[in-house]
Amino acid sequence: MPVAAVVGEEEGGGFPLLPIAVAPAPAPAPQTPAAPELKLTVEIGGSAASPDGSGNYVVVPGQLVVVKASDSAAWLGSSQSTGTTRTDVDTTATQWVSRFANSSKSATGSYKLVANASENRSKELNFTVKTGTYGNGEYMVFAGNGSRQKLSLDLDNATYSLTDAAGDTTSGTMTPLTTPADANWQIQSSRMTVTNASSLWISGDSIVGGFPFAKPFSAPVSYAESAFFATRALVLTQSKLDGTYDRARIEVSASGGESAIAQIQISGGGTVMKQCVDQIIYRIELCPTAKLVTSKVEADTEAGMWRLKDPTDGTLLGKFAIANVEGDKIYLSAGTSPANGNQVLAIGVPAAADFNAFSSLAWSTNGTLDMVIVSPAGYQLANPISTLTLSSLGSSSPPGMRAAESGADLYFAMRSKRLELLIGGRSPSPKAGFLHMGFVYREN
């Protein structure tokens, strides 16, 4: 009889079939999303800018150029023509802030900027720098009458215009002087018939000078020559405000002027200001606790300005700026006091370990233009001719300050690399409310 087939075997015999294991397909590896495109936006002279038909951004010498990146970037720039140079204003990982100069009187310059971000993301911008004088443009003025104004210069046409906080503008012409020929100017103004002290000295992006400003609280308004400091080199990044400053402050009321001399300190990445308000001029770290005033610092709506506020109730105490003047940070404040309506001007230089001798050209709140020669022991003024005796303050006082005395007249002197200050002592000193500012042109 036939043999039944074995279930599970192929016909013809052999081994039983076994199931074949099939390995599952590996899951796809997660893909790292590509980094977003690096984007750059350009502002020139405070307005959004677009390239010209050649793909270049056209810049006038001295204009503020701001390039903002959508991500942190390393900036690499290079001049593409002889005579084109760049001044850094306040560059960070996400924004490149600069001004250009072009030494050529006849040919435009060029500059290439490359922004490199992570994951090989890169963008290139090209600038065309027109001819013209670097010192042209707008400056913020901190004036001896306690006001903050705007100065616009056109050195190629030797003209200026000055606009106060109320929007009133006065304009005029200037005459270049010979020391040096392209940076020292005599100012003509309809406000004054005699303008011996109305002049200015330009150094980089800052100016020291004198001009006929409105007398505080005069009615009808009258004018008198007074000193001013102007700059367009304001620090824009809060963390860069930190520093210790020797500060001269004058306050003008309807009844006269008053002085205050103190050391102040900004710390905490530009978030805290400490001021010593004792009548004795202490170093900030030695200020008696009861005389140490601490304020909160916040950004103002105006770029480069910062608000001082009471840390308890948020009351606005004032506004200030920090300017970068040839590597030195200068403290600046001017305007109406929120506390009493008086006009205030304050200027501070970096706290120094010593007070070195120098020569300067200085303008004062008394309308004088002073030739100054300073030795280790004496401070000589040429208008009027006088010599002040210099002496160090006490061991608890800032070592970079000096007392300057002549009879009953008491002043205090302080300086940075390029700016020197002489302020009258507090009342009852007969020089209370006096301040002069000088451009240091030589170390003695």
Side-chain angles (χ1 to χ4, degrees):
M1 67 180 290
V3 179
V6 178
V7 177
E9 293 182 359
E10 293 183 359
E11 291 186 17
F15 296 102
L17 292 178
L18 299 176
I20 299 174
V22 179
Q31 296 295 314
T32 302
E37 177 189 3
L38 178 66
K39 296 181 180 180
L40 302 179
T41 57
V42 180
E43 295 177 2
I44 298 176
S47 300
S50 300
D52 63 10
S54 300
N56 295 343
Y57 291 87
V58 179
V59 184
V60 173
Q63 274 187 316
L64 187 68
V65 179
V66 180
V67 180
K68 297 180 180 180
S70 58
D71 203 346
S72 295
W75 306 96
L76 180 63
S78 60
S79 174
Q80 305 296 295
S81 61
T82 303
T84 301
T85 56
R86 165 194 168 249
T87 297
D88 182 68
V89 177
D90 192 356
T91 294
T92 66
T94 56
Q95 105 176 346
W96 184 88
V97 188
S98 304
R99 299 182 192 275
F100 291 114
N102 180 8
S103 61
S104 174
K105 302 298 183 184
S106 57
T108 59
S110 58
Y111 192 93
K112 181 173 72 174
L113 174 66
V114 179
N116 293 312
S118 60
E119 302 186 38
N120 297 318
R121 291 173 296 158
S122 182
K123 287 285 186 179
E124 179 180 309
L125 299 176
N126 290 283
F127 296 93
T128 296
V129 184
K130 300 178 72 173
T131 58
T133 302
Y134 178 81
N136 293 342
E138 281 197 350
Y139 299 77
M140 187 177 292
V141 173
F142 298 81
N145 69 345
S147 68
R148 186 161 60 89
Q149 306 191 23
K150 289 185 178 180
L151 173 66
S152 180
L153 295 181
D154 183 346
L155 301 180
D156 296 306
N157 293 300
T159 61
Y160 73 89
S161 64
L162 187 74
T163 304
D164 64 19
D168 295 329
T169 298
T170 182
S171 303
T173 60
M174 303 186 297
T175 304
L177 303 178
T178 58
T179 312
D182 61 349
N184 206 348
W185 297 79
Q186 187 77 38
I187 299 172
Q188 283 74 49
S189 172
S190 60
R191 292 177 174 180
M192 298 289 289
T193 56
V194 178
T195 58
N196 289 338
S198 293
S199 52
L200 55 86
W201 196 315
I202 305 172
S203 178
D205 290 301
S206 297
I207 299 171
V208 186
F211 189 80
F213 295 103
K215 292 181 180 179
F217 308 104
S218 61
V221 66
S222 59
Y223 301 93
E225 289 174 307
S226 189
F228 73 87
F229 180 84
T231 187
R232 60 184 184 188
L234 299 182
V235 173
L236 305 176
T237 304
Q238 189 166 8
S239 61
K240 297 180 181 180
L241 303 178
D242 284 2
T244 302
Y245 305 87
D246 295 339
R247 188 186 66 183
R249 181 183 186 272
I250 58 172
E251 182 170 343
V252 184
S253 66
S255 58
E258 183 57 281
S259 302
I261 304 95
Q263 189 170 88
I264 66 172
Q265 185 178 73
I266 302 175
S267 60
T271 61
V272 176
M273 180 186 289
K274 294 181 180 179
Q275 307 177 61
C276 189
V277 296
D278 199 284
Q279 292 293 305
I280 298 173
I281 306 171
Y282 283 103
R283 298 203 307 271
I284 193 72
E285 68 270 19
L286 299 179
C287 183
T289 303
K291 297 294 185 177
L292 190 65
V293 176
T294 301
S295 305
K296 182 180 179 181
V297 179
E298 295 180 355
D300 189 51
T301 54
E302 185 175 5
M305 294 300 297
W306 306 89
R307 297 179 181 180
L308 277 180
K309 289 189 173 182
D310 186 302
T312 303
D313 60 17
T315 300
L316 179 65
L317 304 175
K319 297 182 181 182
F320 72 94
I322 300 291
N324 187 331
V325 181
E326 296 190 32
D328 283 338
K329 290 191 288 189
I330 305 298
Y331 176 94
L332 299 162
S333 181
T336 303
S337 168
N340 54 25
N342 293 338
Q343 295 297 111
V344 175
L345 170 66
I347 301 184
V349 296
D354 206 347
F355 184 85
N356 298 320
F358 59 87
S359 294
S360 77
L361 182 66
W363 293 259
S364 82
T365 52
N366 283 354
T368 59
L369 176 59
D370 303 319
M371 295 297 298
V372 178
I373 300 175
V374 177
S375 67
Y379 193 108
Q380 296 181 8
L381 294 166
N383 189 13
I385 297 174
S386 60
T387 300
L388 309 175
T389 301
L390 289 176
S391 60
S392 299
L393 306 183
S395 60
S396 61
S397 298
M401 287 189 189
R402 293 291 182 271
E405 299 177 79
S406 177
D409 294 340
L410 172 64
Y411 305 86
F412 293 90
M414 57 200 82
R415 62 161 297 194
S416 68
K417 182 189 304 179
R418 281 287 176 256
L419 182 66
E420 62 99 357
L421 306 172
L422 186 72
I423 182 172
R426 297 180 176 94
S427 297
S429 166
K431 299 302 180 181
F434 170 88
L435 177 66
H436 100 184
M437 303 176 237
F439 174 78
V440 177
Y441 61 84
R442 184 177 65 228
E443 300 290 333
N444 293 343

